[in-house]
Amino acid sequence: MLAAVDHVQLAAPPGSEDRLRVYYVEVLGMTEIPKPPVLAARGGCWFRAGAVQLHLGIEKDFRPAKKAHPGLRVTGIEEFAARLRAHEAEATWDDNLPGHRRFYSEDPVGNRLEFLEPLGSAEPFGSWEQLGSPEPFGSVEQLGSMEQPGSMEQPGS
């Protein structure tokens, strides 16, 4: 069963690690975390902020991700956008996601990044009922009463 996203991997061109460190540490406020030695030999760098991990791997024939991107949740989005602009990074605002303030930017090698902050409630899209859908996995009560794998009778037994 899936429990969480461990990290997101982005690609970067050979020799870009110093620029990436400046951006992800000084601009975004992340901390560089050491790569295991066997992986460090491949180049690239890893960063963390709280539970968020971004791994930047070196790709010989690199092309920046212009559509695919991580969506990074922030607090104080206006101040965060101002921080990026103060470091000469663009912040392109987009108001097409209900219940959120968000903007897009690019890292120094051109990878697209989305920064977003939910507005109001902890359920930014509303409850499942408000969306017109049942809960995707049933209610907590229904999940708790489900048979455990292997406990159901098998056909022909």
Side-chain angles (χ1 to χ4, degrees):
M1 178 182 301
L2 292 176
V5 173
D6 184 76
H7 67 275
V8 172
Q9 173 93 22
L10 296 171
S16 63
E17 290 91 344
D18 288 342
R19 289 186 294 150
L20 295 169
R21 286 182 179 101
V22 167
Y23 180 79
Y24 285 93
V25 173
E26 295 179 20
V27 178
L28 298 189
M30 301 182 84
T31 301
E32 185 171 5
I33 54 177
K35 292 179 69 171
V38 69
L39 298 177
R42 301 177 188 172
C45 32
W46 293 0
F47 304 96
R48 166 181 276 155
V52 175
Q53 279 194 47
L54 296 178
H55 295 183
L56 281 290
I58 299 304
E59 196 169 275
K60 183 179 153 188
D61 297 322
F62 170 74
R63 288 185 314 154
K66 296 296 186 183
K67 182 69 174 171
H69 61 275
L72 304 169
R73 188 171 287 186
V74 300
T75 57
I77 196 162
E78 297 287 340
E79 296 82 8
F80 200 79
R83 177 183 177 132
L84 267 67
R85 286 191 305 271
H87 286 90
E88 300 180 9
E90 288 190 30
T92 304
W93 290 94
D94 178 285
D95 61 358
N96 292 317
L97 183 62
H100 290 80
R101 288 276 295 144
R102 73 175 177 170
F103 67 87
Y104 293 95
S105 193
E106 291 183 354
D107 71 8
V109 298
N111 289 313
R112 183 182 195 194
L113 303 172
E114 177 182 351
F115 300 93
L116 66 161
E117 182 175 37
L119 300 173
S121 77
E123 294 184 80
F125 297 110
S127 68
W128 290 106
E129 293 80 21
Q130 290 169 323
L131 290 172
S133 299
E135 293 183 52
F137 302 107
S139 69
V140 172
E141 293 79 19
Q142 290 169 325
L143 288 173
S145 67
M146 295 177 92
E147 296 284 337
Q148 295 299 313
S151 66
M152 296 172 56
E153 285 188 32
Q154 299 297 317
S157 54

